Amino acid sequence: MMLKTDVAIVGGGLAGLVAAHEAVKRGRKVVLLDQEGPQSLGGQAFWSLGGLMMIDTPEQRRMGIRDSRDLAAQDWMGSAGFDRPEDANPRRVAEAYLDFAAGPMRGYLHDIGMRWFPVVGWAERGGAKADGHGNSVPRFHVTWGTGTGVVAPFVRLVKEAETAGNLQFAFRHRVTGLNVTDGRVTGLRGDVLAEDDAVRGASTNREVTGPFEMQAESVIVASGGIGGDHDKVRKLWPVDRLGPAPKVMVAGVPDYVDGQMQAVAKAAGAGAINEDRMWHYCEGLKNWDPIWPNHGIRILPGPSSMWFDALGVRMEAPCLPGFDTLSTLKRILSTGHEHSWFILTQKIIEKEFALSGSEQNPDLTSGKWREVLKERLGKGATGAVEAFKDHGEDFVVAQDFETLVEGMNRITPNAPLDTAHLRAQVAARDAQLTNPFAKDAQVIAIRQARAYRGDRLIRTAKPHAILDPANGPLIAVRLNILTRKSLGGLHTDLEAKVLRPDGRVLDGLYAAGEVAGFGGGGYHGYNALEGTFLGGCIFSGRAAGQSA
């Protein structure tokens, strides 16, 4: 391995790949290091659904969606709620991302081979105020090939750079320190780990075979977040905003997403901000066929499932499926429990349930229309959803309501539910469907969703009575808190330069992706609009590679 390079990039996820590509384009020699093996190239993006937030695209216009940079900015800033002095750079990066997403982003990605599913998804709908949290219109562009389709073009480009002699991979290299000379980062050091052929995402060994050290004109940290270390998540948990940290969570990321490089950067003089801002999902399932420890999968729900807290109380707007993640998280934790429940029908699960992740959507991952039509329009839910319904420990299926609640109580005996109370709430909701008028916020939201052609086609079931046996069987799903993203991190400027705690630039050090709060040290603010995680990795990785 070369011991001197122009640019050393720590982390082979999406942000690191983009940074490497951009640096090579500028004629820089690059070494890309990762503590995992080549099988994990692409990091967390590989496992994702591949959604990107873009603004005023041909895909949106074909679906009858009118979007604009101004409307997206209103949504972003209303969601972000920037309110701290240190939010100046995050806000600047957010504004720059909006310019990118409304301008060159689609062309930049299209030119290297990305394409998008024609139905644009409507994620994080908000449900409160026009100038508050949420997307006013659908903006979630699912990439053909899902997360693998986002990663693949950049993997191809960096491998071409390797062949040309402009880039070198250093897998199984764990960075434990940054070298600083006269106030400038001049290289890095760490441990070479023993080879490990475990499948992508599975735990790998930490056997050290020797040390390494490398000189570099610039170092880019693109090492991801902390979601695999639940103790770190709990330590930073914003109790004042979200309530007590959950004692039990399922892991939305592998255990190598450990946040160690953020600590390494801080030890070298880097500043970090907004570390208490984080993004965890409420609709987590325990994976019946896990890859990494405590492996969780998120349900991407349509708007029709009834959502109850652990005490059996139906949750109020905006705590509806797909509307406001953090408000719902706070509402769930307010009960003193860490789980909640969906109650729905077979008709709803067939039309509305999707699971997040490339491996849970083999049809979209294949990029073949034939596979998509067979999977999405055939009888029953998707194969992945039906497998969870059959094998997952969080599912209860029953022909009558009493049996359904008995099954729910078997799963959570520490929080027993009252059958009569639950039935009364479901019956009240069903009664709202007898005419075209309603006061129930969720029923109104379902009808609005079906006014959008994309939701009506593939994401929202026709309104129907849950207690009517013709729509059954009945289904209940226990939902767990699922760890996912850090919304804060290393403080950076618009050029991805890392700043010291006093705001001065730490020369020679750059950061991109989740370790930098996806840009600026937290360009989301308090809330994410979805599609902005992969989008932020691409945007901040691009900035780092163009600057380092």
Side-chain angles (χ1 to χ4, degrees), residues 75 82 148 159 194 234 243 264 271 274 356-357 396 414-415 423 436 451 457 471 491 536:
D75 290 346
F82 293 124
T148 67
K159 287 190 173 180
R234 293 187 190 96
V264 168
N274 299 321
S356 182
V396 180
N414 61 319
R423 179 189 283 276
L457 284 171
N471 299 318
H491 192 185

Side-chain angles (χ1 to χ4, degrees), residues 147-441:
T148 67
V150 175
V151 167
F154 290 106
V155 170
R156 172 178 54 80
L157 290 166
V158 296
K159 287 190 173 180
E160 288 173 359
E162 180 191 31
T163 301
N166 298 319
L167 180 143
Q168 184 170 346
F169 291 107
F171 295 112
R172 301 296 286 163
H173 282 63
R174 179 177 62 190
V175 177
T176 59
L178 298 176
N179 297 333
V180 181
T181 306
D182 296 329
R184 178 184 179 86
V185 173
T186 55
L188 40 77
R189 62 190 182 274
D191 301 320
V192 180
L193 303 178
E195 296 298 319
D196 196 316
D197 61 359
V199 297
R200 179 190 289 269
S203 300
T204 56
N205 74 69
R206 291 294 178 260
E207 178 187 347
V208 176
T209 63
F212 77 92
E213 190 163 355
M214 182 182 302
Q215 295 179 12
E217 292 181 19
S218 300
V219 175
I220 300 174
V221 178
S223 54
I226 64 171
D229 187 332
H230 290 188
D231 288 338
K232 285 182 181 174
V233 171
R234 293 187 190 96
K235 182 178 179 181
L236 295 171
W237 191 273
V239 175
D240 57 328
R241 289 190 289 110
L242 296 181
K247 296 182 179 65
V248 177
M249 299 177 280
V250 293
V253 295
D255 56 2
Y256 62 71
V257 184
D258 55 16
Q260 66 176 352
M261 271 308 301
Q262 192 173 103
V264 168
K266 286 182 185 178
I273 59 174
N274 299 321
E275 293 178 277
D276 63 316
R277 293 177 181 169
M278 52 185 67
W279 191 257
H280 306 299
Y281 292 110
C282 307
E283 313 99 332
L285 303 174
K286 293 183 179 179
N287 196 341
W288 65 274
D289 187 19
I291 297 172
W292 55 78
N294 193 26
H295 189 172
I297 294 291
R298 184 197 174 200
I299 297 171
L300 300 173
S304 301
S305 297
M306 295 187 69
W307 206 339
F308 296 86
D309 67 23
L311 305 178
V313 176
R314 186 185 180 196
M315 295 197 292
E316 62 288 338
C319 304
L320 306 174
F323 279 72
D324 189 332
T325 293
L326 290 193
S327 290
T328 307
L329 179 58
K330 180 178 181 179
R331 173 68 176 78
I332 289 168
L333 294 175
S334 72
T335 65
H337 297 275
E338 297 155 351
H339 70 276
S340 59
W341 290 99
F342 277 168
I343 292 180
L344 60 150
T345 65
Q346 180 66 23
K347 284 187 176 180
I348 292 173
I349 202 171
E350 289 180 1
K351 190 74 176 270
E352 298 194 7
F353 264 39
L355 299 174
S356 182
S358 55
E359 83 284 13
Q360 301 295 332
N361 296 274
D363 54 332
L364 290 169
T365 301
S366 75
K368 297 178 180 177
W369 266 112
R370 182 178 62 183
E371 297 299 319
V372 172
L373 294 174
K374 181 172 69 174
E375 183 80 342
R376 307 284 158 167
L377 301 181
K379 184 177 176 58
T382 66
V385 170
E386 288 291 345
F388 266 87
K389 194 177 81 171
D390 291 343
H391 304 295
E393 64 180 83
D394 297 307
F395 279 76
V396 180
V397 182
Q399 296 298 325
D400 62 83
F401 200 78
E402 287 72 18
T403 305
L404 185 79
V405 179
E406 288 173 6
M408 296 164 73
N409 285 335
R410 278 196 299 273
I411 291 177
T412 55
N414 61 319
L417 300 165
D418 180 82
T419 302
H421 184 221
L422 277 176
R423 179 189 283 276
Q425 294 172 87
V426 178
R429 176 265 185 198
D430 285 356
Q432 292 280 293
L433 301 176
T434 57
N435 62 61
F437 309 102
K439 67 178 182 179
D440 186 277

Side-chain angles (χ1 to χ4, degrees), residues 91-166:
R91 182 188 287 271
R92 291 188 189 103
V93 175
E95 293 281 5
Y97 178 80
L98 289 165
D99 291 339
F100 181 59
M105 180 176 179
R106 186 183 182 280
Y108 172 76
L109 299 175
H110 189 278
D111 287 347
I112 63 172
M114 286 192 208
R115 300 294 184 268
W116 296 276
F117 188 63
V119 178
V120 183
W122 194 357
E124 280 297 298
R125 305 184 189 203
K129 299 187 295 182
D131 58 354
H133 172 56
N135 285 295
S136 298
V137 299
R139 297 190 177 103
F140 191 77
H141 296 70
V142 175
T143 308
W144 273 117
T146 62
T148 67
V150 175
V151 167
F154 290 106
V155 170
R156 172 178 54 80
L157 290 166
V158 296
K159 287 190 173 180
E160 288 173 359
E162 180 191 31
T163 301
N166 298 319

